[in-house]
Amino acid sequence: MSDPSEALASAKAAADRIVNVKRLNACLTPIKELRKSLAAQASTAHPSGVLYGMPVAVKDNICTLEFTTSCGSKILEGYRSPYDATAAAKLKAAGALIAGKTNCDEFGMGSSTEHSAYGRTLHPFDKTRVPGGSSGGSAALVAAGAVPAALGSETGGSVRQPASLCGVVGIKPTYGRVSRYGLVAFGSSLDQIGVLGRSVHDAARVLSVISGRDPKDSTCEDRDSLRLPNVPESLQGFVIGVPKEYFPQDLDAAVRRACDRAIRLLRELGAAVREVSLPHTAYAVATYYIIAPAEASSNLARYDGARYGPRFNGSEDVRALYRTTRGDGFGPEVRRRVLVGTYVLSSGYYDAYYRKAQQMRALIAQDFRNVFDRGVDLLFTPTTPTPAFKAGEKLNDPVAMYLSDIFTVTANIAGLPAISVPIGRIKGLPIGGQLIGQAFLEDEMLEAAYALERAVPAAEEA
Amino acid sequence: MAGAWETVIGLETHVQLRTVSKMFCGCSAAFGAPPNTNVCPVCLGLPGALPVPNEHALQLAVRAALGLGCTVHPRSVFARKNYFYPDLPKGYQISQFEQPLATAGSLSYLSPDRGIATATIQRLHVEEDAGKSLHDRFPKQTAIDLNRCGVPLIEIVTGPDFRSPHEARTYLLTLKQVLEYAAISDCDMEKGSLRVDANVSVRRVGETMLGTKTEVKNINSFAYVEKALTVERDRQIAVLEGGGTLAPQTMLYDSKTNGVRPQRSKEESHDYRYFPDPDLPPLVLTEQFIAEQQTLLPELPAKKRERFVEKYALSVTDAAVLTADRNVADYYEAVVHAGADAKTAANWVMTEVLADAKDHADGLRVAAGALANLIGLVRGGTLSHQAAKRVFAEVAERGGEPRNVAEALGLVQVADTGVLSGWVSDVLGAHTSEVMRYKQGETKLLQFFVGQVMKASRGKADPKLAQRVLEEKLAP
């Protein structure tokens, strides 16, 4: 596609499809504004770009000039960034169209997209269920066929978990592969922008565009953008490890069946599959829920009502302004994590929590290196312990909610690339399988994902 | 028991680095721009913005550390210092905490009481400045100017090494000299590019344990350093002698009343919740980078002073005056290298040159080569010292080559015996009685005749030559 009329047609069709799934509450951008912007973007998009005319929705915690960036929070209601996130700028430079901002758990804190100040997003196949989160809006829009791909962000699985629950592909690249500039920070040492796509290819080509060095982000690696691999004929020569800690006794039987089928298919494709052990896995969620809130408590300190965003009543002095703005502006999950994070960094507790968690983080990362050093190329695990759960089911039980990220947080803790690929249905609900790769070897991970995607009957019951 | 107290002071000095741009973004670090004009998403702390360290700031910080004899660590860590304040837009300041850039340095200074004393530099770390809260701009409202936000700073922390407010001040002036020499900072307290907080305590002489310390803040001029510390020291002694006890608190100095008051408890005692900044990888400096900064460090004042004493045979005092300012020291050496005698050049620089520089903001107005020539003219007898001073002032004011200026002003001494003989004959003819007395043995009148010749020549006669011609003519 390189004809402006085709880009305009693509823009209009995307807007129509997004209107059609309005009931999901996946897109936060008002439809009139979205139509107008898409048309304007289509008329000025770069025709030579590799994504020319492709509509890509963007999670609401990634800054764009076109639309507001509220992060699913009241505290940033109506906030318009004066700059584009590097990922958004790269999308536009490649000719893609920013197809609105997608709903998410507030500041990315949540696993169900129920913690949004703008209402929950519905699962596209069952409105009583959640699409996962925090990038639930992006996952739902892709799953509903409104856009071929969408940007999400991950701190502990916020792309892969909703991808698994919605039956789409979700990629979290290596930490440092994609610039975080313009991604509103939650847990800076864990955050990465990821991509949700209809297929491995759709997700991968968007990832390729947004990846690569960025002088504005000191944690972004000085590397060229990711080169897309070819779809392999077989997986001959691949060694895929299956970590036993990810298949506990009490794992959901249907999830286990789906995984077993996927593992059998990987074998049939020529991969050598062997059981491996990542002994510190049990500590991953606890480690995550110290480090992420600690960083969040500091990252979210800037939302004080003094410079931007709404101010809430009772701002007679500056302390009162902080109290009411932060008390009323943040939702309960954000307040919980800010409190936890403030606590674990406090003098007298830092050593017991934050420092210990950093030590555990190093051990978890070392687990992965040990396995990879012994000739394993990739790991295969379930992405989530269950398919999409009911709305409200875990809302009052934060720990149960946190455990839905149990298989995904480790890749964030270790900074590794990982992808969730649909591997079947459980009573009609999608479930994903996860491949975890070695740092900056996304190409190998994508090759295996291509082969698995092609082989697995994802629409069939496991 | 009066006089039995010992004062113990340690200083924490914040110095703005002389960079074009800020510590973590490309905004101008210039002082005095209209409020909130030197800002961008990074220094405003807008959602999603990220810091990228300014290499020039790191170079200057490393140079400062090396200049203060610190160990520069090849790996240091940026940390977040968390607190809420309206002029701190991110809700934290990027600083360094557990692993600072440099530690274990020292700075020698001339103590007014103890001779050469050495202050230990416990640590030197890099951080970003906060913005400014302006409380007097709008009635009952606070205005925020974020231009200063993100300007690079180093913090230099000494041990509890000073034994008097005067010592603390002397150290600070010595530190300022070093930092100015190496072009690391402007060190202008009035503009806030050098700020100092002091930890003050007192103890009985002979006691080895430190007393309860207070932190004195808001000392915003060099002139107030000694006053503020003296006031606090005296307050502490008065409390203790009155049988009271001291609270470890922050005291704010008020220069208008020359007093201190405790900071409201609401304003202090933060738990800063320091932790490594996840937006910035550890700062890794190569050996080569550090070595390069060492080579870019100029000769520092103490070294230069020693060298001047040795090389130019100057007194320590003269060398100290000449090396107090790097430009003056360089100027002095240029005058010597242009051929002037070292001692004479030193006298000229310390008197005429510094006096002229003090009165004129445009600095050293007479080129070093010109001053050397001028000194040469005096030495060669072409100009009297008095005339040379006039020539100097003229050259400073209007420029020009000293010899030409001297000629234009008619100040060149006449060394032509023919012309001199004329003046001598005139003088002797006009003072016959004095000639008589001279010839009768009153030889001290010779100076009178010389003076008369000088007068007749309107200062142009070479006095030595005039004396010789007079002696010849008056000879029996």
Side-chain angles (χ1 to χ4, degrees):
Chain A
M1 184 162 58
S2 62
D3 177 350
S5 68
E6 282 179 60
L8 280 165
S10 165
K12 187 178 180 312
D16 289 343
R17 289 193 306 270
I18 291 167
V19 175
N20 283 337
V21 297
K22 202 170 182 310
R23 63 184 169 83
L24 298 178
N25 191 32
C27 180
L28 295 175
T29 307
I31 196 67
K32 265 173 97 175
E33 187 189 344
L34 179 62
R35 276 193 193 285
K36 207 175 147 199
S37 171
L38 276 171
Q41 291 181 55
S43 62
T44 57
H46 302 272
S48 56
V50 294
L51 299 181
Y52 181 64
M54 180 177 180
V56 178
V58 172
K59 189 178 179 179
D60 200 32
N61 64 349
I62 298 171
C63 293
T64 56
L65 287 168
E66 283 76 16
F67 310 110
T68 58
T69 300
S70 74
C71 301
S73 180
K74 228 168 32 169
I75 213 163
L76 281 176
E77 187 165 7
Y79 174 75
R80 202 169 271 272
S81 171
Y83 73 95
D84 262 328
T86 298
K90 284 184 172 181
L91 280 181
K92 287 199 266 184
L97 313 175
I98 308 295
K101 300 301 274 289
T102 62
N103 200 6
C104 57
D105 287 296
E106 191 178 353
F107 288 101
M109 298 182 192
S111 308
S112 65
T113 318
E114 292 172 287
H115 295 297
S116 165
Y118 305 99
R120 74 178 182 97
T121 293
L122 311 187
H123 192 286
F125 302 172
D126 179 349
K127 66 181 178 189
T128 68
R129 291 179 188 272
V130 302
S134 64
S135 313
S138 289
L141 269 192
V142 173
V147 286
L151 297 192
S153 73
E154 280 228 0
T155 306
S158 283
V159 165
R160 288 164 289 153
Q161 187 259 16
S164 173
L165 270 46
C166 288
V168 299
V169 171
I171 311 177
K172 191 219 64 114
T174 312
Y175 186 82
R177 175 63 94 174
V178 176
S179 167
R180 292 188 296 115
Y181 191 77
L183 166 64
V184 179
F186 159 16
S188 312
S189 72
L190 303 154
D191 294 343
Q192 267 293 285
I193 290 175
V195 188
L196 296 113
R198 233 168 9 188
S199 64
V200 174
H201 186 64
D202 281 339
R205 63 199 190 109
V206 170
L207 175 61
S208 162
V209 163
I210 63 172
S211 66
R213 64 180 60 80
D214 179 11
K216 292 187 186 126
D217 176 1
S218 310
T219 63
C220 187
E221 285 269 324
D222 184 16
R223 283 173 190 263
D224 292 337
S225 55
L226 174 66
R227 293 232 317 258
L228 289 181
N230 294 321
V231 181
E233 289 303 313
S234 81
L235 292 180
Q236 209 76 50
F238 273 84
V239 178
I240 295 178
V242 177
K244 62 181 182 191
E245 291 81 5
Y246 288 67
F247 295 87
Q249 287 295 315
D250 57 355
L251 180 64
D252 182 277
V255 172
R256 183 184 298 274
R257 275 201 307 280
C259 287
D260 286 347
R261 181 170 72 185
I263 291 167
R264 199 180 67 235
L265 293 169
L266 290 168
R267 271 210 181 89
E268 285 171 16
L269 285 162
V273 177
R274 64 161 95 134
E275 188 186 86
V276 296
S277 174
L278 300 164
H280 295 94
T281 303
Y283 304 103
V285 171
T287 300
Y288 175 83
Y289 277 98
I290 291 169
I291 294 173
E295 293 180 4
S297 71
S298 174
N299 283 329
L300 270 57
R302 67 190 65 190
Y303 309 112
D304 58 10
R307 291 163 304 279
Y308 47 81
R311 287 181 179 184
F312 294 85
N313 55 351
S315 46
E316 60 273 9
D317 70 43
V318 72
R319 297 284 141 185
L321 171 67
Y322 292 165
R323 242 188 336 265
T324 55
T325 299
R326 293 170 65 77
D328 297 349
F330 289 140
E333 183 60 25
V334 171
R335 290 205 303 275
R336 178 173 12 251
R337 297 200 198 186
V338 168
L339 287 172
V340 167
T342 304
Y343 177 78
V344 300
L345 290 176
S346 299
S347 90
Y349 299 98
Y350 183 91
D351 287 341
Y353 293 102
Y354 188 77
R355 201 185 298 278
K356 265 267 162 1
Q358 290 295 1
Q359 287 164 352
M360 184 50 68
R361 182 177 191 169
L363 292 172
I364 291 167
Q366 189 58 48
D367 276 357
F368 282 101
R369 276 196 297 276
N370 290 343
V371 168
F372 291 135
D373 285 349
R374 286 182 206 127
V376 171
D377 300 310
L378 293 166
L379 299 168
F380 179 84
T381 78
T383 308
T384 51
T386 64
F389 46 89
K390 291 273 190 187
E393 189 182 317
K394 301 184 182 186
L395 208 47
N396 296 315
D397 186 349
V399 175
M401 188 77 90
Y402 299 168
L403 288 173
S404 66
D405 290 334
I406 190 162
F407 301 140
T408 50
V409 291
T410 48
N412 300 83
I413 289 172
L416 300 173
I419 184 170
S420 178
V421 177
I423 55 168
R425 295 284 173 98
I426 296 171
K427 293 183 185 148
L429 293 171
I431 190 77
Q434 171 173 240
L435 289 163
I436 303 173
Q438 302 173 57
F440 297 103
L441 294 182
E442 280 91 348
D443 48 351
E444 282 185 16
M445 181 182 85
L446 290 172
E447 277 189 67
Y450 275 131
L452 178 62
E453 178 186 52
R454 185 184 277 189
V456 80
E460 286 175 23
E461 285 291 317
Chain B
M1 200 175 101
W5 294 97
E6 180 177 53
T7 313
V8 179
I9 298 169
L11 295 181
E12 292 172 14
T13 311
H14 285 90
V15 178
Q16 283 184 349
L17 298 175
R18 207 156 94 182
T19 55
V20 173
S21 56
K22 293 187 179 180
M23 184 67 223
F24 296 111
C25 64
C27 288
S28 165
F31 177 82
N36 300 307
T37 52
N38 290 339
V39 292
C40 75
V42 176
C43 56
L44 288 176
L46 293 188
L50 294 170
V52 176
N54 174 346
E55 183 163 350
H56 187 218
L58 299 175
Q59 290 170 347
L60 293 182
V62 169
R63 268 176 236 169
L66 294 171
L68 296 171
C70 293
T71 304
V72 176
H73 301 292
R75 186 178 186 279
S76 63
V77 172
F78 287 108
R80 292 186 184 177
K81 179 180 182 179
N82 295 282
Y83 64 97
F84 285 96
Y85 207 73
D87 59 26
L88 188 73
K90 296 191 294 296
Y92 60 83
Q93 177 194 26
I94 304 176
S95 179
Q96 295 190 305
F97 185 57
E98 280 187 348
Q99 291 172 266
L101 178 75
T103 52
S106 64
L107 180 64
S108 293
Y109 62 99
L110 190 63
S111 160
D113 319 312
R114 299 187 285 167
I116 297 284
T118 299
T120 55
I121 307 293
Q122 292 183 337
R123 58 184 278 144
L124 182 153
H125 70 248
V126 189
E127 59 187 30
E128 58 175 351
D129 211 339
K132 274 186 201 159
S133 295
L134 310 167
H135 300 289
D136 48 4
R137 202 68 160 256
F138 304 100
K140 291 188 174 176
Q141 285 187 302
T142 298
I144 308 290
D145 177 5
L146 297 175
N147 280 347
R148 199 179 69 178
C149 215
V151 167
L153 290 179
I154 49 175
E155 182 176 339
I156 302 162
V157 182
T158 72
D161 298 332
F162 310 109
R163 292 290 169 268
S164 68
H166 195 167
E167 273 195 8
R169 177 166 179 268
T170 312
Y171 156 82
L172 207 60
L173 289 169
T174 310
L175 176 68
K176 176 178 188 279
Q177 217 176 56
V178 169
L179 297 174
E180 283 175 343
Y181 249 71
I184 287 161
S185 173
D186 296 333
C187 295
D188 187 335
M189 276 189 95
E190 277 73 19
K191 286 182 181 173
S193 62
L194 185 149
R195 307 195 286 274
V196 66
D197 298 331
N199 290 307
V200 181
S201 63
V202 296
R203 62 184 172 193
R204 291 284 180 188
V205 169
E207 180 67 62
T208 51
M209 297 275 287
L210 289 170
T212 303
K213 72 175 178 191
T214 60
E215 188 172 10
V216 183
K217 290 194 169 191
N218 205 34
I219 308 170
N220 43 29
S221 142
F222 277 101
Y224 299 140
V225 172
E226 208 174 328
K227 285 185 179 174
L229 298 181
T230 305
V231 165
E232 174 57 11
R233 188 235 357 238
D234 293 350
R235 184 192 71 87
Q236 289 190 7
I237 291 173
V239 168
L240 294 174
E241 291 197 334
T245 52
L246 293 165
Q249 59 188 345
T250 300
M251 306 299 292
L252 298 181
Y253 177 69
D254 183 347
S255 58
K256 288 196 191 93
T257 61
N258 191 35
V260 288
R261 65 166 176 89
Q263 193 170 40
R264 281 177 291 146
S265 61
K266 231 172 133 183
E267 298 165 327
E268 66 170 324
S269 164
H270 294 286
D271 179 354
Y272 290 121
R273 289 173 285 119
Y274 281 102
F275 74 106
D277 191 337
D279 287 332
L280 292 161
L283 176 62
V284 176
L285 303 174
T286 62
E287 262 179 56
Q288 192 200 339
F289 177 90
I290 298 170
E292 206 173 290
Q293 302 320 309
Q294 183 78 65
T295 64
L296 290 168
L297 208 54
E299 182 183 38
L300 294 174
K303 263 269 165 60
K304 206 182 273 290
R305 200 167 51 229
E306 282 172 31
R307 184 168 60 82
F308 276 24
V309 169
E310 198 161 304
K311 185 167 175 185
Y312 303 120
L314 302 175
S315 71
V316 175
T317 323
D318 287 358
V321 172
L322 290 171
T323 56
D325 182 290
R326 186 179 165 188
N327 291 330
V328 172
D330 289 348
Y331 177 84
Y332 166 72
E333 291 213 275
V335 175
V336 175
H337 289 159
D341 163 66
K343 182 66 195 159
T344 314
N347 288 335
W348 270 91
V349 172
M350 288 189 295
T351 53
E352 300 306 310
V353 174
L354 286 181
D356 185 61
K358 203 174 167 187
D359 297 339
H360 300 92
D362 43 348
L364 307 165
R365 304 194 299 170
V366 174
L371 178 58
N373 290 344
L374 185 61
I375 291 169
L377 292 177
V378 176
R379 193 185 174 86
T382 310
L383 280 179
S384 69
H385 187 69
Q386 284 310 316
K389 282 180 169 181
R390 281 186 59 195
V391 172
F392 179 88
E394 185 67 13
V395 172
E397 218 48 63
R398 278 178 273 279
E401 203 21 61
R403 178 177 282 279
N404 300 338
V405 171
E407 279 167 4
L409 291 177
L411 294 172
V412 174
Q413 293 181 137
V414 173
D416 179 328
T417 38
V419 180
L420 271 172
S421 292
W423 285 324
V424 169
S425 302
D426 291 350
V427 166
L428 297 182
H431 297 87
T432 45
S433 62
E434 284 82 0
V435 172
M436 287 288 288
R437 282 160 56 198
Y438 179 89
K439 289 190 168 167
Q440 283 160 8
E442 211 176 322
T443 51
K444 66 179 182 201
L445 278 169
L446 185 62
Q447 286 314 309
F448 165 78
F449 293 124
V450 172
Q452 291 304 310
V453 172
M454 293 308 289
K455 196 171 164 189
S457 70
R458 281 191 266 155
K460 284 191 257 181
D462 177 338
K464 282 184 194 145
L465 200 58
Q467 184 171 334
R468 221 164 67 216
V469 174
L470 276 165
E471 281 169 341
E472 279 168 17
K473 294 219 169 182
L474 290 167

